[in-house]
Amino acid sequence: MDKSKSEILDQISELIITGNYKLIVEITQKALDNDLSSDEILNSGLLKGMEIVGIKFRDGLIFLPEVLMSARAFKAAMNIIEPLLIKDTKSNKSGIGKVLLGTVKGDIHDIGKNLVGIMLKGNGFNVVDIGVDTSTEKFIDAVDKECPDIVGLSAMLTTTMISMQKTVQALKEKFQNKIIIVGGAPVSQSFADEIGANGYAKNAIEAVELCKKLLAIKN
Ligand code: B1M
């Protein structure tokens, strides 16, 4: 990659870290105009920046208002690249399955869940997103109404892993054959196994592969 392209990506990371939700719109557009792909912008710009935000927050170098600004900047840039991410990955098939997504009760993190939704859409899945801080009852009602093939739960806090467990158990009791997948930073394959989920994905790309695999087994 030439120097000017990597400089633009570094600038995008920096704008995430500083939470500059206005300038990032301009620079993300500049990145596209300079032939950087939506994938490169996401992985080597936005996610790289957000990883540093997480480390600085953990180490007490920045505080919640700064993290909120970073999240706002992330979403502003995503608004620009989302249609391209969907187009870049769009398969010929559409409607290959329906996935209902939500972040569990007590948890308002949604950037990762949204990214999972975007990648699933890009790969031909119909996605119904029921948002954040989602109670077990809301998941159950939505599954009743939407009849998805797969239900996906996201949790980003160790404290909300318990909500995930409760909701998975309730969904399993009410809908015996429903496929349930889980993900989020503190979640692991062993936790997924422990709570009776059908699958775990580490990131959005793995979530797409997992959904395809689980649907193929079902059909
Ligand atoms: Co919060 N936060 N946060 N935060 N936040 C974390 C998660 C934390 C790790 C930061 C840290 O300490 N280093 C820490 C959790 C510690 C822990 O529990 N172990 C933390 C904390 C403590 C908190 C608060 C409690 C802080 C406070 O109030 N004192 C608070 C909780 C609020 C609540 O939910 N009740 C809080 C609040 C916030 C903001 C609102 C400011 C903001 C969220 C904004 C938003 O989402 N709209 C925020 C942010 C931005 C973060 C960090 C910095 C970044 C998260 C993110 O968006 N990453 C985060 C640090 C970190 O994770 N390193 C942190 C980018 C995103 C693309 O990645 O979300 O991991 P991620 O998603 C990935 C995978 O996890 C996976 O695929 C995604 C895409 O590849 N995945 C799935 C996610 N869901 C999936 C579902 C699937 C499959 C895969 O299937 C269904």
Side-chain angles (χ1 to χ4, degrees):
M1 186 185 297
D2 68 46
K3 195 165 167 269
S4 65
K5 285 186 178 176
S6 68
E7 274 171 7
I8 297 175
L9 292 173
D10 287 347
Q11 198 179 356
I12 290 175
S13 295
E14 197 53 38
L15 291 169
I16 289 291
I17 297 165
T18 53
N20 194 329
Y21 62 92
K22 287 186 178 149
L23 189 56
I24 202 164
V25 171
E26 192 186 306
I27 303 301
T28 303
Q29 191 54 55
K30 182 176 162 191
L32 293 172
D33 296 342
N34 279 271
D35 290 332
L36 280 155
S37 69
S38 50
D39 215 39
E40 286 169 316
I41 296 170
L42 176 65
N43 291 310
S44 308
L46 303 176
L47 288 176
K48 201 172 147 200
M50 195 52 110
E51 202 182 318
I52 297 169
V53 171
I55 293 167
K56 287 188 166 216
F57 183 53
R58 183 198 63 202
D59 295 346
L61 298 171
I62 56 169
F63 300 96
L64 212 52
E66 282 110 311
V67 184
L68 266 173
M69 297 296 277
S70 297
R72 194 169 174 187
F74 195 101
K75 287 186 175 185
M78 280 305 289
N79 281 341
I80 298 171
I81 63 166
E82 177 176 342
L84 297 163
L85 279 172
I86 291 177
K87 203 168 113 216
D88 284 356
T89 49
K90 189 97 185 163
S91 62
N92 292 327
K93 294 179 194 168
S94 69
I96 60 172
K98 189 175 191 179
V99 184
L100 186 130
L101 286 179
T103 303
V104 300
K105 181 80 190 153
D107 202 322
I108 61 166
H109 294 85
D110 67 353
I111 292 176
K113 165 186 67 62
N114 296 349
L115 200 52
V116 170
I118 289 168
M119 292 301 175
L120 285 169
K121 277 188 211 161
N123 281 274
F125 285 90
N126 292 326
V127 175
V128 179
D129 188 331
I130 57 170
V132 297
D133 191 19
T134 311
S135 65
T136 299
E137 295 69 35
K138 191 171 172 192
F139 267 107
I140 289 175
D141 290 349
V143 173
D144 258 334
K145 183 171 164 243
E146 299 287 348
C147 292
D149 301 291
I150 299 175
V151 186
L153 286 75
S154 177
M156 287 295 290
L157 300 168
T158 40
T159 49
T160 55
M161 289 167 79
I162 187 78
S163 309
M164 180 175 263
Q165 179 168 20
K166 279 185 192 157
T167 302
V168 169
Q169 277 166 359
L171 287 170
K172 283 273 155 197
E173 274 164 30
K174 182 121 174 68
F175 311 98
Q176 273 82 23
N177 296 321
K178 197 62 70 185
I179 300 171
I180 301 175
I181 67 161
V182 293
V187 181
S188 63
Q189 182 64 57
S190 62
F191 180 71
D193 294 341
E194 193 187 314
I195 65 175
N198 302 85
Y200 157 76
K202 192 174 167 46
N203 56 42
I205 308 284
E206 279 189 19
V208 172
E209 294 313 314
L210 178 65
C211 287
K212 284 182 180 169
K213 190 181 95 187
L214 291 171
L215 269 187
I217 295 169
K218 186 185 164 202
N219 295 328

